[in-house]
Amino acid sequence: MSLWSWARFLAIVRKELIQLKRDRLTFAMMIGVPLLQLTLFGYAINNDPKHLPTAVVDADRTEISRSLVAAVQNSGYFHVVWTGERLADADRLIARGQVQFLVHVPAGFTRALVRGEHPALLVEADASDPAASSNAVAAVMQLPKTALRDDLTGPLAASAPATEAFELRVHRRYNPEGTSAYNIVPGLMGVILTMTMIMMTALAVTRETERGTMENLLATPVRPLEVMLGKILPYVAIGNVQVGVILLAAAFLFEVPMVGSLPLLLLLTQAFILANLAVGITISTTARNQMQAMQMTLFFFLPSILLSGFMFPFRGMPVWAQTIGEVLPLTHFLRVVRGILLKGNGALDVWPHLWPLLVFIAAVLALGLTRFRRTLD
Amino acid sequence: MAAEAVIEVEGLAKSFGGRRAVEGLDLRVRRGEIFGFLGPNGSGKTTSIRMLCGLLTPDQGRGTCLGRDLLTDSRAIRREVGYMTQRFGWYEDLSVRENLEFVARMYEVRERQRIVDRTIEELGLTQRQHQLVGGLSGGWKQRLALAACLMHEPRLLLLDEPTAGVDPRARREFWDQIIRLAASGVTVLVSTHYMDEAERCTRLGYIAYGKMLAQGTGTELLERFGVNRLEDVFIEVMKGLKDLR
Ligand SMILES: Nc1ncnc2c1ncn2[C@@H]1O[C@H](COP(=O)(O)OP(=O)(O)OP(=O)(O)O)[C@@H](O)[C@H]1O
Ligand SMILES: [Mg+2]
């Protein structure tokens, strides 16, 4: 006996599509919700995260430069997670979002300082999430006034004039003006997909139970996997329509720059859509009625928007919250969207966010399959 | 008559939240028989039928359906059983044709197009094949549901009150069809509240409070209870039950 029947699977897909087509309200909602949300979320949510991961490139390697790095760390906003000498290595870290700041002490910094040449200390900030970096940037601005007060004594005191011994150059990368729409709009894409995709599929199986069609369906030789995947596939198409709507709005309404590769973004979006559909269908197999299905959807949706870095800067959350956040598909998707749209990330840069999504899909689908009730018990 | 048992179960029991719905059901139905399942509302007819087609897992008991084990081989049973639910359970937002095509695909029916065409024609729904099922009357829905469970040519039919709400003429056509099917070797188990339908069954079983109280052919039962209408057998059985308590 066959384990999988294409005929049955396609019959389910076909049936779902017909039902979807005839359900005008749902159809309108799927296009209406993204537009509505995009309009509503026009503002930023501010916060003051500390201990942001920072990479330090100390090409100078002197007492003074070490003291500077210590001062950066002491401001409380920065947590040095990586130290090295090659700027290119650090650059990759910031591009992948593994650090949010890059402090660069150029070679010869101390020499120039002693000669009173007013050298520059470079700080690069990942401003694609402006709420997360603005306060830290403000703190680093104070450094030149205070950092070297204790070091520049004795013969060096001469080079420590009343004002600033060196210049500080801060580059806000990816989003120079710190425009919050640049951050919010790509984020909204993830939030909207999470909400609609999970909700639609969460109702898919429970609806059949409530209407009494589940009994007939279960009495046929259909397999759980055929039902589950058959119910998921039509929504992949719907999800892509939503993505289209949001990307068009992002480009033309909010003028979000699109630096990276669109095909790459769309490819990763498929994984994200699938992850959400897997959650929805699994909820669907567990909930006894549509009401429960809606509640469980919310139960998943709330942590998703709160702990993914959409609502609050991810690095500003306590470790336990970050740990939960790392499991959620939205967290990874946000990094992917921001990475590709704003930073121009390539395939290699986004891989660290793709595999957690794939693992998530497999685990959740497997859970759903074991929960799928083959009987009416 | 060949004694090949199509349904053979012993001691099937099912409870819902501690309440017994079916208790120690023994049943033996042979090939080509039309077994009538009679009993008051809530007596456990639907529950019994669902256990026979693998939709409910019995708490106790064992048995076979079409020679396959009820507990371990319910998938194979589903392929060869035609089950018609008591409550209409096909898609109201799909048309008549779309529903039938869906069912045919679920059972991987060969020559699907031809079978669906024929089914629609026999139903007399050619004119309304593209109408949404939600707009059909109750009786027409019943007829559609029966047609749907016949498309894959099942060897065993489990029909749960198939003619509830169907007009007399359609009911007669329906029963003529059942008898034709039985003659061709299909086994039928049908629950009903209509005594004229009970008369057309080859054997009857009376169930109440989840227990099978009497079984036999119509004439056997009439003799045993000393009455001359099947309806009175029903009354006598229920009386006996009161005496037992
Ligand atoms: N899913 C269920 N959950 C809880 N109780 C149930 C369930 N299904 C049936 N029951 C109970 O089991 C008993 C038998 O029900 P069943 O539907 O089998 O009766 P029936 O003989 O088919 O009745 P009717 O003639 O009204 O269709 C009833 O008391 C009913 O309330
Ligand atoms: Mg019933």
Side-chain angles (χ1 to χ4, degrees):
Chain A
M1 208 179 300
S2 62
L3 283 174
W4 170 264
S5 153
W6 283 103
R8 284 196 301 257
F9 165 70
L10 290 174
I12 303 255
V13 172
R14 195 189 163 95
K15 182 211 99 188
E16 292 290 323
L17 280 175
I18 296 175
Q19 290 185 308
L20 209 60
K21 192 180 75 188
R22 297 200 175 134
D23 186 357
R24 292 269 163 77
L25 186 69
T26 311
F27 215 66
M29 228 175 70
M30 279 174 307
I31 307 303
V33 165
L35 287 176
L36 198 71
Q37 295 236 12
L38 275 174
T39 335
L40 286 178
F41 279 82
Y43 57 89
I45 298 130
N46 227 330
N47 210 311
D48 188 15
K50 302 233 161 97
H51 305 289
L52 301 166
T54 303
V56 169
V57 177
D58 184 355
D60 197 37
R61 288 158 54 96
T62 61
E63 203 65 42
I64 299 279
S65 69
R66 272 188 286 277
S67 164
L68 262 177
V69 170
V72 165
Q73 180 115 284
N74 285 341
S75 73
Y77 282 100
F78 307 93
H79 173 56
V80 177
V81 293
W82 185 91
T83 331
E85 276 163 27
R86 288 186 32 198
L87 194 58
D89 294 339
D91 247 20
R92 207 157 34 241
L93 292 178
I94 197 167
R96 286 184 181 169
Q98 275 159 298
V99 299
Q100 197 148 11
F101 290 94
L102 194 172
V103 176
H104 180 203
V105 189
F109 179 87
T110 306
R111 201 156 11 103
L113 186 78
V114 171
R115 288 189 195 144
E117 285 172 3
H118 214 68
L121 176 70
L122 294 168
V123 175
E124 307 245 7
D126 176 351
S128 62
D129 184 354
S133 52
S134 58
N135 281 357
V137 167
V140 85
M141 292 292 200
Q142 300 302 314
L143 279 179
K145 293 203 184 76
T146 54
L148 301 177
R149 234 179 340 215
D150 301 335
D151 292 282
L152 301 176
T153 52
L156 291 180
S159 57
T163 55
E164 290 157 20
F166 60 94
E167 183 193 348
L168 185 82
R169 289 199 198 133
V170 176
H171 288 170
R172 289 174 204 260
R173 277 216 203 169
Y174 312 124
N175 181 5
E177 290 88 34
T179 311
S180 61
Y182 291 1
N183 180 46
I184 293 283
V185 173
L188 264 186
M189 183 155 133
V191 171
I192 290 165
L193 283 176
T194 302
M195 194 170 83
T196 50
M197 293 292 100
I198 295 183
M199 203 162 66
M200 305 278 156
T201 36
L203 298 179
V205 175
T206 40
R207 192 167 41 223
E208 299 233 10
T209 313
E210 283 191 0
R211 290 185 184 169
T213 50
M214 200 53 175
E215 182 168 5
N216 268 325
L217 192 59
L218 288 178
T220 73
V222 77
R223 296 221 172 234
L225 192 64
E226 291 158 2
V227 176
M228 285 176 55
L229 294 184
K231 280 177 173 290
I232 281 180
L233 191 65
Y235 293 101
V236 174
I238 304 270
N240 279 294
V241 172
Q242 292 187 333
V243 169
V245 170
I246 298 166
L247 283 181
L248 285 177
F252 297 108
L253 239 56
F254 296 91
E255 293 171 345
V256 175
M258 301 199 180
V259 183
S261 145
L262 205 57
L264 181 67
L265 178 64
L266 291 179
L267 190 74
L268 274 122
T269 305
Q270 306 312 308
F272 178 65
I273 289 176
L274 277 179
N276 284 311
L277 294 177
V279 172
I281 205 87
T282 301
I283 288 178
S284 202
T285 57
T286 307
R288 293 255 163 202
N289 51 50
Q290 300 202 34
M291 189 65 195
Q292 277 185 12
M294 293 298 288
Q295 286 169 337
M296 287 159 85
T297 302
L298 264 185
F299 186 79
F300 184 84
F301 181 64
L302 283 179
S304 282
I305 51 170
L306 294 177
L307 303 181
S308 61
F310 173 74
M311 206 65 125
F312 310 116
F314 194 81
R315 309 288 186 195
M317 301 191 305
V319 174
W320 62 264
Q322 291 195 23
T323 311
I324 299 174
E326 289 290 349
V327 180
L328 299 169
L330 185 57
T331 307
H332 297 283
F333 185 64
L334 289 182
R335 294 176 188 163
V336 165
V337 186
R338 288 172 184 164
I340 295 178
L341 280 188
L342 304 177
K343 303 183 190 175
N345 274 183
L348 273 179
D349 301 313
V350 293
W351 170 248
H353 305 306
L354 177 59
W355 71 259
L357 283 177
L358 298 180
V359 170
F360 184 91
I361 295 170
V364 173
L365 263 190
L367 179 70
L369 266 182
T370 58
R371 299 278 326 175
F372 189 93
R373 284 189 288 268
R374 285 148 220 254
T375 62
L376 298 169
D377 290 276
Chain B
M1 192 176 184
E4 184 198 333
V6 171
I7 301 177
E8 192 159 30
V9 295
E10 269 172 41
L12 287 192
K14 184 74 188 177
S15 304
F16 295 106
R19 274 191 60 226
R20 278 291 172 105
V22 172
E23 230 176 308
L25 179 80
D26 299 333
L27 198 60
R28 207 182 132 87
V29 180
R30 282 180 292 262
R31 194 172 113 92
E33 270 189 332
I34 304 175
F35 187 91
F37 220 13
L38 310 176
N41 295 130
S43 55
K45 300 184 295 293
T46 299
T47 308
S48 303
I49 293 176
R50 283 176 175 166
M51 283 194 282
L52 291 176
C53 60
L55 281 176
L56 285 173
T57 323
D59 298 336
Q60 278 166 41
R62 60 198 170 82
T64 59
C65 229
L66 294 161
R68 299 179 196 275
D69 192 282
L70 214 56
L71 300 172
T72 58
D73 213 4
S74 73
R75 258 190 66 81
I77 295 175
R78 280 171 209 198
R79 278 183 176 272
E80 297 181 277
V81 166
Y83 170 45
M84 178 174 163
T85 54
Q86 181 171 1
R87 172 186 167 194
F88 180 75
W90 289 113
Y91 301 96
E92 309 232 336
D93 47 356
L94 258 53
S95 71
V96 171
R97 174 172 281 276
E98 285 161 349
N99 265 294
L100 290 174
E101 286 192 341
F102 177 74
V103 180
R105 286 191 165 103
M106 284 297 108
Y107 285 97
E108 298 178 282
V109 168
R110 254 172 270 145
E111 293 186 76
R112 191 184 68 240
Q113 219 51 53
R114 192 178 64 78
I115 303 280
V116 169
D117 285 345
R118 197 189 64 195
T119 306
I120 290 176
E121 203 188 306
E122 282 173 4
L123 267 172
L125 281 176
T126 314
Q127 301 296 314
R128 304 196 303 187
Q129 57 176 304
H130 298 299
Q131 189 180 320
L132 294 193
V133 165
L136 292 181
S137 73
W140 277 104
K141 283 182 191 165
Q142 293 290 95
R143 293 162 78 162
L144 172 66
L146 177 74
C149 76
L150 288 174
M151 279 193 298
H152 64 293
E153 300 182 351
R155 290 199 288 144
L156 170 63
L157 276 177
L158 301 174
L159 310 174
D160 199 356
E161 298 192 29
T163 55
V166 172
D167 69 55
R169 212 193 79 189
R171 215 143 64 80
R172 183 180 310 153
E173 280 171 17
F174 171 85
W175 271 91
D176 290 345
Q177 190 179 4
I178 294 289
I179 285 165
R180 271 201 309 277
L181 284 165
S184 73
V186 175
T187 312
V188 183
L189 186 148
V190 51
S191 77
T192 179
H193 292 296
Y194 294 112
M195 289 308 140
D196 60 322
E197 293 185 353
E199 277 165 20
R200 304 187 74 164
C201 295
T202 48
R203 258 173 2 109
L204 297 168
Y206 285 83
I207 182 172
Y209 299 107
K211 289 199 195 90
M212 185 66 90
L213 297 175
Q215 253 190 86
T217 63
T219 27
E220 272 170 23
L221 289 165
L222 291 177
E223 264 171 39
R224 192 185 318 162
F225 289 92
V227 291
N228 37 25
R229 289 189 314 170
L230 283 172
E231 216 167 312
D232 296 326
V233 174
F234 197 103
I235 309 290
E236 290 299 316
V237 167
M238 296 306 286
K239 244 193 238 158
L241 195 73
K242 262 185 220 128
D243 295 346
L244 274 177
R245 305 210 141 196

